[in-house]
Amino acid sequence: MNEKYPFSEIEPRWQACWNEHSAFKTDLSDIAQKYYCLMMFPYPSGKLHVGHGRNYIIGDAVVRYKKMHGFNVLSPMGWDAFGLPAENAAIKTGTPPRESTLKNIAVMKEQLAAWGCCYDWDKEVTSCEPEYYKWTQWLFIQLFNRGLAYKKKSNVNWCPSCATVLANEQVVEGLCDRCDSVVVQKALEQWFFKITDYAQRLLDDIDKLEGWPERVKTMQRNWIGRSEGTEVDFALVPRDDGALDKSDKVSCFTTRVDTICGCTYMVLAPEYAHLKEMVAGLPQEKEVLQFIADSAKLTNLDRESDVLEKKGVFTGRYAINPFTGEPVPLWVGDYVLMYGTGAVMAVPAHDTRDWAFAKKYNLPIKLSIQNPERSLVLTEMDSAYTGDGMCSDSGIFTGLPNRDAIDAMTKHADTHGFGKGTINFRLRDWLISRQRYWGAPIPIVYCDRCGMVPVNDEDLPVLLPTDVEFKPTGESPLKGSNAFMNCSCPKCGDPARRESDTMDTFVDSSWYFLRYLNARDGSQAIDTAACNNWLPVDQYIGGIEHAILHLLYARFFTKVIHDLGLISFDEPFNRLFTQGMICKKSDFDGKLYKMSKSKGNVVSPNELIENYGADTVRLYTLFIGPPEKEAEWNDSAVEGSFRFLARIWRRVWQHRDLLLASKTLVPDLGKMEKPERDLYRKLNESVQKITHDLDGAFHFHTAISTIMELMNAIDETKLDENSSDQAKAVFRDAIEKVIVLISPFAPHIAEELWKELGHTGGILSAKWPETVEAALHRDKIQMALQVNGKVRGQITVPSAATKEEIEKLAVTDEAVIKWTEGKTIKKIIVVPGRLVNVAAG
RNA sequence: GCCCGGGUGGCGAAAUGGCAGACGCAAGGGACUUAAAAUCCCUUGACCGAAAGGUCGUGCGGGUUCGAGUCCCGCCCCGGGCACCA
């Protein structure tokens, strides 16, 4: 052993040792004390930076911590390997996606190892490999057979730059979440998963997710967006020319049916189903058609912008308000979305948007709610009244409190057959087809005789062809491969053509956590028994950016697979931890951003590991702040973590002979003098606090600061050969525990020092220390003395002192006498173990 | 607009209603050294004071309490999610 902390020598050695001894291989049959710790599998983009590292370092710390508690921990890793970047690289450089992806995987695997992050690589999954995507395709077919995968033509989000469609979830503020291009609407035939069938269950079961952060649950609730309201049918006033309509009514959805008697017009979405037929041959037809065409040109961004003025045109048609019997004009407006029924009733007096629209187009306004002060007068209003009140001018409902009227009027509509209570969700079906190469081919065949036919199980996987061009044309590159496209119908054997679209990569990641349990199993997608034994996942760790997309899709898939009878549980993740992003000031504009190449603020771990070692990078990453919060990377603060590890190393080195010689000594409270008793107390207080910090909220940063405090206390202890046996015993115990306590964070140095202290068997087999309760006891305690809430002194009292004794000591204290002079003592509050407050006045 | 988080030294931060700023970074001073690095020791919220000590201090304004960073009410600011969703 040497004075200098030899991180570069010990780290590769221990990494090799963990590898050789299969320290992280998990026997799936041992489930007595199982713990499934899952980290979100990465996209193999090339190189990991320290921002990515936070995820794996936190995960590895949890895995090691749980192992030391005796759990049989499963910690697998894999690769979310399909996706656009590899394909874009292929377009640029000509390197086939699979080749570049596998190369990246190899690099990243080495990086994880260099961090000391260990996984059971026997269970590795790679979503772009046929042994994996065969089963993604198989699952697609299961959804197809259940009617949960369907194809339809609809307006979809189209990214012109990626030349592919996007799911709603992948459009952020009207922009493509990959390349920031403005997303446009295009009418295309696309594949969808019917996630809306599961909307209510996905919403209800959020309540079951006790181990999830509240904010993630809120985001999911918002995204699902349930709203309760009433659907009301307005009968269409027949056309003057006697031509018949396809539908004789217009239904609208409203959450404020209580205001319906103030409805003075209706507005239809430009995409409303029968709109074109409704206006055919009318004088307004031309204008309406022009309006529809203009609206279609609007990008999502335009349409969602606040500043955009609401526009509309009159259709020439009328419908009857069933509550008043009055006809109201039908308009078409660009602010009405195909949500609910695609038609809204407009109540300008009580809705801000309708007010603005009515004022602009000079439409009538009618009050149907009177405020509690009964002071609403239309001619004096300059905005809509959206508050509560009494129904007014509302026929038999006049005088009813409006909140009660919602129920009453919904019931009335139901009884009379022109409406009903309805629930609407904001959630749309999940668009999963992509016109791109690097994804799992959708296993469907088009046969002239049989139509759409799923590929037979025995013919899976439908392999991605390799003889294709990667140019983005808006059509799938798979179409260019005749060998791929031409096939025979699985049903009748006639010549047929394959579906050329591939699946969204989020499909691959929606079930990978199940596949780890039988990654090499060629006979089935899911091993029911293994899954039921090991799932739900005990702890899932990943980035907050997946709060909606991945986590919602994974929940959906779990429910579908549950309904297929393949697993017994219907929520995948018991506890979820979302770590905050690591940010750094950009080299370009000095602003704080999430680490990314494009912002020029990436810190590469390789150099840091070379200069300070992996343990330092790990310790700093965990010490940087509360792990759920964003953190700013500070290069100079890394030094502090290095100094601390070097200090532990040095301390063991300095006392190595003494530490080895005292190996057989055992701390005995009864024989301790004060200094070692104090250190022994500090040690046990630390064990208690650290365990608490890690068990609860993963507060690694406070756990580490507690180890630092303990180390400070150890350093204050003077020790040499002449010290008592108890002093030596406690010193050794404290040093040993520091090593054990820090081992989940800095495993290499812990292993090495553990060995230096004469232990055989790795530190993972060391048990996590337990608090010796008796050691926490104090004979005397210091208490703060307050007068009127201000600290004026300190007293030391026997820990067994009664309240009365403490009070007596307090009032005779010099400082208290001084500060209460001329006042009468009204009250004395004793907070056991903390302080005494004398209230005087 | 609605729904979540936050706002504490020069910085990252800590604090079951109970001594605000633990722990670390940075900075300053000192020891060791020919020197540097490393290490060790000291100082470091603001203001007043020679010192002892005192006053103020957790975004702002009120309140509850013996006692508020923490609880309640009303604002301001920052971050995130949703949003012409009827």
Side-chain angles (χ1 to χ4, degrees):
Chain A
M1 201 186 181
N2 197 292
E3 180 173 11
K4 203 160 173 277
Y5 164 39
F7 58 88
S8 54
E9 187 267 315
I10 63 174
E11 289 186 351
R13 181 151 51 75
W14 283 107
Q15 285 158 15
C17 175
W18 296 324
N19 205 15
E20 272 160 36
H21 291 88
S22 301
F24 289 78
K25 303 253 183 270
T26 309
D27 175 5
L28 293 180
S29 66
D30 175 10
I31 54 161
Q33 252 201 306
K34 70 98 187 175
Y35 191 88
Y36 187 175
C37 182
L38 179 70
M39 286 150 247
M40 288 185 184
F41 69 161
Y43 175 78
S45 56
K47 257 188 187 167
L48 296 168
H49 56 63
V50 294
H52 299 121
R54 199 179 203 187
N55 192 185
Y56 312 112
I57 290 166
I58 290 172
D60 197 63
V62 172
V63 168
R64 290 172 186 272
Y65 178 70
K66 286 291 170 185
K67 273 180 173 283
M68 294 172 82
H69 276 86
F71 284 93
N72 183 28
V73 181
L74 170 62
S75 178
M77 185 47 70
W79 311 97
D80 188 11
F82 273 135
L84 277 180
E87 189 169 346
N88 289 340
I91 294 165
K92 239 192 215 162
T93 66
T95 315
R98 182 164 183 274
E99 199 179 296
S100 61
T101 301
L102 294 184
K103 207 187 279 169
N104 288 346
I105 287 174
V107 171
M108 288 167 69
K109 228 172 168 173
E110 264 178 43
Q111 283 189 296
L112 288 174
W115 256 317
C117 293
C118 296
Y119 305 95
D120 184 346
W121 290 109
D122 288 352
K123 301 177 175 66
E124 177 181 12
V125 299
T126 306
S127 66
C128 68
E129 293 292 66
E131 61 172 0
Y132 184 87
Y133 74 69
K134 170 181 179 177
W135 300 112
T136 307
Q137 292 173 334
W138 182 84
L139 284 166
F140 175 94
I141 292 168
Q142 307 316 303
L143 267 77
F144 179 81
N145 290 340
R146 292 205 135 208
L148 291 169
Y150 67 94
K151 202 176 185 189
K152 83 169 181 201
K153 185 165 188 168
S154 72
N155 266 337
V156 294
N157 305 303
W158 176 264
C159 171
S161 157
C162 299
T164 189
V165 298
L166 300 172
N168 284 348
E169 288 81 350
Q170 291 166 323
V171 181
V172 179
E173 286 172 5
L175 304 179
C176 171
D177 75 343
R178 279 229 172 268
C179 71
D180 282 352
S181 308
V182 173
V183 173
V184 297
Q185 296 295 300
K186 235 185 175 179
L188 290 171
E189 281 268 317
Q190 295 292 336
W191 284 96
F192 292 85
F193 282 161
K194 221 169 180 182
I195 193 171
T196 51
D197 269 12
Y198 283 75
Q200 190 65 54
R201 269 171 78 188
L202 287 167
L203 181 66
D204 289 344
D205 291 351
I206 291 174
D207 297 337
K208 289 203 278 189
L209 305 175
E210 283 171 23
W212 282 42
E214 213 46 54
R215 63 174 167 160
V216 174
K217 294 198 272 185
T218 308
M219 283 189 208
Q220 293 218 349
R221 282 192 191 101
N222 286 344
W223 190 261
I224 295 167
R226 181 188 145 110
S227 92
E228 266 179 65
T230 316
E231 207 174 293
V232 184
D233 303 334
F234 283 52
L236 205 48
V237 176
R239 300 167 58 130
D240 295 336
D241 58 12
L244 286 180
D245 285 297
K246 277 194 179 159
S247 167
D248 59 359
K249 63 183 186 191
V250 175
S251 303
C252 67
F253 173 76
T254 178
T255 54
R256 289 294 306 273
V257 69
D258 53 314
T259 65
I260 196 165
C261 294
C263 167
T264 51
Y265 61 99
M266 287 181 97
V267 190
L268 309 179
E271 302 88 357
Y272 190 80
H274 303 303
L275 181 56
K276 286 181 185 170
E277 291 89 10
M278 280 164 62
V279 298
L282 297 184
Q284 288 84 355
E285 180 180 13
K286 207 179 148 202
E287 206 187 342
V288 170
L289 291 180
Q290 185 62 52
F291 186 83
I292 294 171
D294 289 348
S295 304
K297 273 191 223 137
L298 288 179
T299 61
N300 267 19
L301 194 63
D302 295 332
R303 219 168 152 179
E304 284 171 10
S305 147
D306 304 343
V307 289
L308 192 75
E309 203 169 351
K310 296 162 192 27
K311 283 197 221 119
V313 293
F314 178 46
T315 61
R317 303 295 305 271
Y318 292 84
I320 307 290
N321 181 341
F323 279 83
T324 62
E326 303 275 332
V328 296
L330 288 180
W331 283 62
V332 52
D334 57 5
Y335 72 96
V336 177
L337 308 176
M338 281 308 292
Y339 165 83
T341 63
V344 299
M345 65 174 210
V347 186
H350 305 295
D351 182 279
T352 321
R353 279 167 318 199
D354 296 344
W355 176 276
F357 194 84
K359 284 287 175 193
K360 180 172 179 191
Y361 293 106
N362 206 18
L363 290 156
I365 300 174
K366 186 191 157 196
L367 278 176
S368 56
I369 302 283
Q370 186 52 254
N371 69 9
E373 294 84 41
R374 295 173 193 279
S375 62
L376 289 179
V377 182
L378 255 187
T379 51
E380 291 166 7
M381 288 166 68
D382 54 10
S383 64
Y385 175 75
T386 56
D388 288 333
M390 296 289 189
C391 291
S392 70
D393 212 354
S394 298
I396 55 168
F397 301 100
T398 303
L400 215 58
N402 72 307
R403 293 284 141 193
D404 300 345
I406 291 178
D407 266 355
M409 292 167 98
T410 302
K411 224 170 260 167
H412 176 85
D414 203 0
T415 319
H416 293 79
F418 57 75
K420 59 179 190 298
T422 318
I423 290 150
N424 257 303
F425 291 95
R426 212 193 67 96
L427 185 70
R428 312 276 82 173
D429 275 340
W430 173 16
L431 197 170
I432 58 112
S433 46
R434 298 288 181 272
Q435 292 71 51
R436 297 300 298 238
Y437 169 76
W438 194 228
I442 292 174
I444 290 288
V445 168
Y446 299 96
C447 168
D448 288 338
R449 196 197 309 221
C450 312
M452 272 195 289
V453 186
V455 172
N456 288 324
D457 285 3
E458 59 271 23
D459 296 326
L460 293 176
V462 176
L463 286 171
L464 265 176
T466 47
D467 56 335
V468 294
E469 291 276 335
F470 295 112
K471 297 268 176 303
T473 59
E475 290 216 310
S476 170
L478 300 189
K479 278 198 175 157
S481 168
N482 287 329
F484 174 83
M485 290 302 289
N486 297 322
C487 61
S488 51
C489 172
K491 225 186 226 171
C492 70
D494 277 6
R497 287 177 69 75
R498 287 196 192 280
E499 168 64 65
S500 61
D501 285 356
T502 54
M503 283 185 246
D504 180 5
T505 54
F506 278 100
V507 179
D508 310 323
S509 57
S510 291
W511 72 285
Y512 76 104
F513 44 90
L514 303 172
R515 186 62 184 173
Y516 282 134
L517 281 305
N518 64 331
R520 304 279 94 80
D521 181 353
S523 68
Q524 55 182 349
I526 286 158
D527 182 332
T528 300
C531 284
N532 289 345
N533 280 339
W534 281 85
L535 283 102
V537 167
D538 294 279
Q539 183 67 58
Y540 198 19
I541 304 169
I544 184 73
E545 64 273 21
H546 294 109
I548 299 172
L549 290 150
H550 162 61
L551 288 169
L552 188 67
Y553 295 151
R555 293 183 60 219
F556 165 60
F557 255 64
T558 302
K559 288 183 190 303
V560 171
I561 294 167
H562 166 88
D563 292 354
L564 289 166
L566 294 174
I567 49 176
S568 58
F569 50 94
D570 70 347
E571 280 292 341
F573 315 123
N574 266 348
R575 280 170 56 92
L576 170 69
F577 185 85
T578 51
Q579 85 273 359
M581 289 184 297
I582 298 227
C583 302
K584 194 168 192 282
K585 293 217 175 87
S586 164
D587 286 349
F588 308 140
D589 62 7
K591 287 188 198 150
L592 203 61
Y593 293 107
K594 172 190 175 181
M595 268 187 199
S596 85
K597 257 186 238 161
S598 62
K599 302 284 188 221
N601 61 350
V602 170
V603 176
S604 154
N606 298 33
E607 204 182 316
L608 282 170
I609 290 176
E610 210 171 289
N611 294 339
Y612 301 104
D615 281 339
T616 294
V617 178
R618 292 172 62 118
L619 194 69
Y620 174 65
T621 302
L622 295 168
F623 188 58
I624 196 167
E628 69 280 5
K629 265 184 68 178
E630 266 188 16
E632 186 183 344
W633 187 270
N634 179 348
D635 286 319
S636 70
V638 176
E639 194 97 17
S641 295
F642 176 76
R643 278 204 288 262
F644 182 60
L645 292 177
R647 195 170 129 214
I648 296 176
W649 179 271
R650 213 163 36 242
R651 214 58 76 227
V652 173
W653 175 77
Q654 282 163 348
H655 298 286
R656 60 196 180 283
D657 296 334
L658 200 148
L659 283 164
L660 281 173
S662 48
K663 198 181 171 190
T664 49
L665 299 176
V666 180
D668 182 346
L669 266 168
K671 295 180 185 155
M672 286 180 203
E673 297 296 325
K674 188 168 184 305
E676 51 263 25
R677 253 189 71 175
D678 285 347
L679 181 58
Y680 197 56
R681 184 187 312 109
K682 179 76 188 169
L683 167 63
N684 281 285
E685 282 170 352
S686 302
V687 168
Q688 191 177 46
K689 175 151 175 26
I690 292 163
T691 308
H692 176 264
D693 285 350
L694 296 182
D695 277 342
F698 288 165
H699 277 175
F700 307 104
H701 63 310
T702 49
I704 291 167
S705 72
T706 306
I707 300 177
M708 288 173 169
E709 278 184 69
L710 174 58
M711 200 60 209
N712 290 346
I714 290 173
D715 275 359
E716 278 164 30
T717 320
K718 299 282 165 280
L719 195 80
D720 53 44
E721 316 74 84
N722 304 323
S723 301
S724 71
D725 276 1
Q726 274 308 304
K728 289 177 184 167
V730 171
F731 184 80
R732 174 166 170 119
D733 193 30
I735 288 278
E736 267 195 357
K737 297 245 160 88
V738 163
I739 292 165
V740 173
L741 291 168
I742 208 166
S743 71
F745 318 136
H748 310 87
I749 190 176
E751 288 277 21
E752 186 70 15
L753 293 178
W754 191 241
K755 202 182 88 187
E756 289 290 348
L757 289 183
H759 291 282
T760 52
I763 198 148
L764 280 167
S765 58
K767 285 212 38 187
W768 189 258
E770 301 216 5
T771 311
V772 179
E773 294 290 334
L776 302 178
H777 177 79
R778 288 167 194 271
D779 293 332
K780 286 179 183 166
I781 14 177
Q782 246 209 355
M783 295 177 85
L785 274 181
Q786 294 185 339
V787 176
N788 290 335
K790 292 207 164 145
V791 181
R792 299 299 181 186
Q794 299 280 332
I795 45 167
T796 306
V797 303
S799 60
T802 64
K803 195 167 174 265
E804 287 71 25
E805 286 163 346
I806 294 170
E807 279 179 20
K808 200 179 275 172
L809 279 168
V811 293
T812 53
D813 184 270
E814 229 175 275
V816 173
I817 291 169
K818 181 184 158 203
W819 285 93
T820 51
E821 211 181 324
K823 295 174 180 166
T824 45
I825 292 172
K826 290 176 178 162
K827 204 172 172 183
I828 301 174
I829 290 102
V830 177
V831 184
R834 289 190 184 270
L835 55 78
V836 186
N837 188 13
V838 180

